[in-house]
Amino acid sequence: MKKIVFTGRLISKGARDGISRFTISVLRELPAFLDGYELIIAFDREPSIHMEGFTPLELKRYTGHLPGIFLWLNHDVKKAIIRTKAELLISMDGFGIISPPCPQVPVIHDINFARNIKWIRWDHRLTYSWYFQKVLKESSTVICVSPFVATDILNFYGSSKKIFVLMEGIEKVRLMASSHLYEKPVFPFLIFPGDVHPRKNLINIVKALKIVKRSYGTAPGIIVTGRLFHVSGEEKKIIKEAISEGMVIQKGKLPEEDFFQLLMSSCGLLYLSNYEGFGLPPLEALSLRKPVILSSQDPLTMWRTLLPESHRNLLFYAEPWNVNSIAESIMKVMEIANNTDLQNITDLVDVFPEVSWRNVAFRLANVIRSIINQV
């Protein structure tokens, strides 16, 4: 029986970052399409989630971000591959092994450091650039989560590797009983999902809110479901002031069911990053029939022609660097949220099954079989 090792470095119960959710959601569906293979998942911590159909392998956890990732993959995972005689490594978070003992396939979610190295911590910049290029060179095949990322790799690195595009999916969102009670705001609000990072562009959203308030006398609040991450200087000062004034409410990371309940109570979702590899929250918001404001630079714009018309009408675009453009889109979303019966829109997965995680897993299984057959 052929063995395949998958990295589960970021898997933890309740994780809501994009890479973790991609990994969990795809791997849960994958065993149904890979009968006859032994699937091994390597963890860097005690597993908090049971992955049906996988043999769990708990390896040592290292401290430190990049040094820890490097040691875990190039020492522990490498030894595990040799010990288990695995024939393929699928690195679900895009990192990999230098001189791997078997073919490896990194799943690349974005290469924002290539777009703007200042988006990365100064002490990680050289390592990111060097490590990524080495992994790319040592990989027989690369999987990207969108054509946008695939194009970036070709443009920045001129890679001749075989590149597969495996766009992310969603599942039917079912509102479950909240694991804990939290106080829902009584005023109109928009959701800003995930951590606040310089490229996520919260500062221009805050400036746009002030324009909306001057024009209409009122503005929706912004609820952030993440942390302030690597934000400093003037940007941090403006965001902190917006929090103290009640314009921005920081909820921190929420369990999945709480996030969806909060999203259901909102007027819509803000996804105005200067750069994203793809992005799950907009698809989830559309599945819940919620308007979404997207960056004109965002790769999700490719869905404009693929989505049903009912859902395309819920997408609004703004130039992330233009606060007037953002303000205009916010006002449009508030208008549609107040005047449209969004509950009549059919569930996105029902009308567009291609976005389901099961479909993503099916396509990943086909990629894996094509690689294994060449080994």
Side-chain angles (χ1 to χ4, degrees), residues 1 3-6 38 40-43 55-60 62 72-88 97 100-102:
M1 181 180 289
K3 299 176 181 179
I4 306 168
V5 172
F6 297 80
E38 183 178 350
I40 302 168
I41 184 165
F43 294 96
T55 301
L57 193 62
E58 185 182 344
L59 305 176
K60 183 178 178 179
Y62 293 90
W72 186 70
L73 281 159
N74 289 275
H75 183 263
D76 293 65
V77 174
K78 187 173 183 176
K79 285 177 63 177
I81 290 170
I82 296 170
R83 186 172 67 252
T84 60
K85 298 180 180 179
E87 296 186 50
L88 181 65
I97 297 174
C102 69

Side-chain angles (χ1 to χ4, degrees), residues 243-260:
I243 292 173
S244 66
E245 293 169 5
M247 294 175 63
V248 173
I249 298 173
Q250 194 174 4
K251 282 286 184 184
K253 293 191 173 184
L254 297 175
E256 190 169 72
E257 59 270 23
D258 286 5
F259 174 80
F260 288 135

Side-chain angles (χ1 to χ4, degrees), residues 348-365:
L348 183 60
V349 179
D350 288 336
V351 296
F352 199 49
E354 288 85 351
V355 302
S356 71
W357 286 116
R358 188 167 183 82
N359 184 274
V360 177
F362 172 76
R363 287 183 282 129
L364 176 58

